[in-house]
Amino acid sequence: FGEGPVRRACYAADRTGHMILQTLYQQCIKNQVAFFDEFQVVDLILDGTTSKGLVAVELATGELHILAAKAILFATGGFGRMFKITSNAYANTGDGPAVCARRGIPLEDMEFFQFHPTGIMGLGILISEAVRGEGGILRNRDGERFMQRYSPTLLDLAPRDIVARSILTEVRSGQGIRGDRRIDDYVHLDATHLGKDVLAGKLPDITGFCKTYLGIDPAETPIPVLPTAHYAMGGIPTDLHGRVVMDGNGTVVDGLYAAGECACVSVHGANRLGTNSLLDLVVFGRRAGQHIAKYVRQAEMPQLDPGAADDARAWIERLTDGKPGPHGGHLMDDMQTTMMANVGIYRNAKDMQAAVDEIQALRERYRAVRVQDTGKRF
C-alpha cells in the first residue's frame, strides 16, 4: 500500500474489507445478534445530553417504530454520495451524521474529504491501491510514468492526495488520454507487465471489475482511471471510547456512540493513509463495544413518550402529501455536480463560495420536495 517504502498492511488479496465484513457477520450469527433489516433510522431521541432511543421507518410497510435503547452505536459509513463521482455505495448518503446534526450535535472536520487517485473513469468504482502496491504504473497520454516528476522517491505509491492532484494536473495540462468528450480525459493505470498469474492470484476482484465494467483484461490493456471521492475524515465527533461529544468542552452524550467512517476521532488529520480506515474502525469499534458493555450494566432502560416519533411522522407526511413539488433526485444531482466542480481536489475561495450559494439555494428548493409515489411502502 502507498505512503511508504515498506509493506505495512495485513490483507486478504484485494478484498480485505469484504473479509472483515464476512467475519463480523459470522460472529453476529454465532452470538445470535438480532437484525432489523431494511429499517431506516430517521431520528434520534435525546433528553438533554442523554440518548434514549431511535425512530426508524420499516421500509416494507412504511410503519414508524420507536426503539428504546440504553446505548446506541452509529456505524453508518461515509457520505461520498454528495459528490458526482465516488467509490461509495449508493447508500452512503450521510444519514447517520445528518440525524445527529439535526438534533444539535455539531459535526467535526467535515472539510477534510479524501479523493482516491484511481477510480474507474466515469464510474468512480475503486481500483484498489493494491494494484500500485504490486507494481502498477500510472501513465499519461505519452505513456510517460508522470509520477517521476511529482514524487521521484515514492513514485506511484506517494500519499493519495499527492497522486490524486498529480493525475488531475496531468489532465488539466492536456496530458490526459482523450475520451469521447473533453470531460472524459483520464490517465492509464498500467498493470499489463504484472502478468495474468499475478493479477488472478493477488488481484482477483480488480481483474473482475475491469472485465465487468470496462470489458477489458488488465493483463492485456491499461485501466482508464481518474480520482474518485472516497473517504470522509470528518463526521460525528467522538472521544477515544467512541462516545459522541456534544461540544468543544468535551461534553459527552451518555449512551450514544459512533465508530468507523461516520465517526470522527480525528486520528487521521486532513488526509488518511491507505488501510488506516480499517485499523480505525477495528480499534475504535472494539473500544466503543467495551465501553457500551460497561455502560449498559449500570444504565436504566429509558421510558419513551409515544410522541417521540411526531417530528419524523410530520416530515414523512409532508413528503408524501401528494402536493406538486420538485423531485428530490434532481436536487441531489445538482448538489453532486456543484460539489464535484467546486469543492473537489482543488479548492479556492471563489469556487467554494459558489458551492455554498448553490447548496443554500438547493436547500430552499428542498423544502418543497415531494415524493411522487405516495404509497407507504418504500
Side-chain angles (χ1 to χ4, degrees):
F1 280 85
E3 301 96 31
V6 298
R7 293 175 180 262
R8 59 175 182 82
C10 296
Y11 61 92
D14 58 351
R15 47 174 72 122
T16 308
H18 189 68
M19 292 299 103
I20 290 176
L21 179 66
Q22 292 289 351
T23 303
L24 178 62
Y25 183 65
Q26 289 163 3
Q27 288 297 316
C28 287
I29 297 300
K30 175 184 174 183
N31 289 285
Q32 298 181 316
V33 172
F35 288 90
F36 291 82
D37 294 322
E38 302 298 330
F39 277 60
Q40 179 80 24
V41 173
V42 291
D43 203 1
L44 176 65
I45 303 169
L46 294 181
D47 182 3
T49 57
T50 301
S51 168
K52 289 194 167 185
L54 298 166
V55 179
V57 60
E58 185 177 358
L59 298 185
T61 65
E63 183 181 355
L64 280 175
H65 296 265
I66 301 173
L67 307 173
K70 292 182 179 181
I72 296 163
L73 176 101
F74 274 61
T76 57
F79 33 89
R81 283 287 154 184
M82 66 183 179
F83 292 97
K84 191 71 171 175
I85 303 296
T86 178
S87 64
N88 287 197
Y90 280 100
N92 289 141
T93 50
D95 294 78
V99 165
C100 292
R102 285 196 290 266
R103 284 302 174 193
I105 296 170
L107 305 181
E108 181 179 8
D109 290 352
M110 296 297 284
E111 69 273 35
F112 300 139
F113 203 96
Q114 180 176 87
F115 284 76
H116 196 287
T118 54
I120 292 177
M121 185 273 296
L123 298 175
I125 296 169
L126 194 67
I127 298 297
S128 167
E129 215 156 30
V131 176
R132 285 174 288 133
E134 291 299 327
I137 297 170
L138 290 164
R139 301 187 187 278
N140 60 20
R141 64 184 303 164
D142 298 325
E144 175 198 6
R145 187 179 193 176
F146 58 85
M147 285 307 300
Q148 291 177 325
R149 287 187 274 111
Y150 299 100
S151 181
T153 303
L154 295 176
L155 297 171
D156 306 274
L157 290 176
R160 290 176 176 178
D161 61 316
I162 293 175
V163 180
R165 284 198 300 272
S166 301
I167 291 173
L168 198 58
T169 300
E170 289 292 299
V171 169
R172 288 184 172 183
S173 67
Q175 287 301 103
I177 298 158
R178 186 61 54 85
D180 295 334
R181 306 185 306 278
R182 184 58 187 247
I183 59 170
D184 289 334
D185 286 5
Y186 55 88
V187 299
H188 272 148
L189 176 56
D190 185 4
T192 57
H193 55 287
L194 300 182
K196 287 184 180 291
D197 290 344
V198 170
L199 288 169
K202 291 190 173 182
L203 303 165
D205 276 7
I206 297 302
T207 301
F209 290 159
C210 290
K211 291 179 178 178
T212 299
Y213 296 108
L214 296 171
I216 65 171
D217 184 343
E220 300 173 354
T221 306
I223 309 165
V225 296
L226 270 179
T228 181
H230 182 54
Y231 189 88
M233 259 62 67
I236 305 165
T238 71
D239 66 7
L240 296 179
H241 298 291
R243 298 182 296 179
V244 172
V245 178
M246 194 78 173
D247 56 35
N249 298 320
T251 304
V252 169
V253 182
D254 290 326
L256 186 59
Y257 300 77
E261 192 176 351
C262 74
C264 180
V265 198
S266 215
V267 290
H268 298 303
N271 183 46
R272 174 176 68 74
L273 301 184
T275 79
N276 278 14
S277 61
L278 300 184
L279 184 65
D280 172 9
L281 69 89
V282 169
V283 169
F284 293 107
R286 183 170 187 264
R287 289 177 68 91
Q290 290 171 332
H291 198 279
I292 288 170
K294 294 177 182 177
Y295 178 80
V296 296
R297 281 196 287 267
Q298 53 84 30
E300 294 183 2
M301 180 58 76
Q303 301 299 312
L304 298 183
D305 189 309
D310 286 352
D311 288 347
R313 183 172 288 106
W315 178 47
I316 292 171
E317 287 176 353
R318 177 185 67 78
L319 287 169
T320 57
D321 63 13
K323 294 180 180 179
H327 191 292
H330 299 159
L331 267 67
M332 184 172 180
D333 186 65
D334 290 346
M335 178 194 69
Q336 291 173 326
T337 298
T338 195
M339 286 295 292
M340 202 74 191
N342 298 318
V343 201
I345 293 172
Y346 285 108
R347 300 178 183 180
N348 59 64
K350 179 182 176 183
D351 289 345
M352 287 192 292
Q353 186 60 54
V356 169
D357 293 342
E358 172 67 14
I359 288 168
Q360 285 179 340
L362 288 174
R363 194 173 191 177
E364 289 303 311
R365 288 171 59 198
Y366 165 76
R367 300 182 197 283
V369 162
R370 293 297 186 272
V371 177
Q372 293 174 333
D373 182 351
T374 58
K376 287 187 175 295
R377 294 184 60 163
F378 179 73

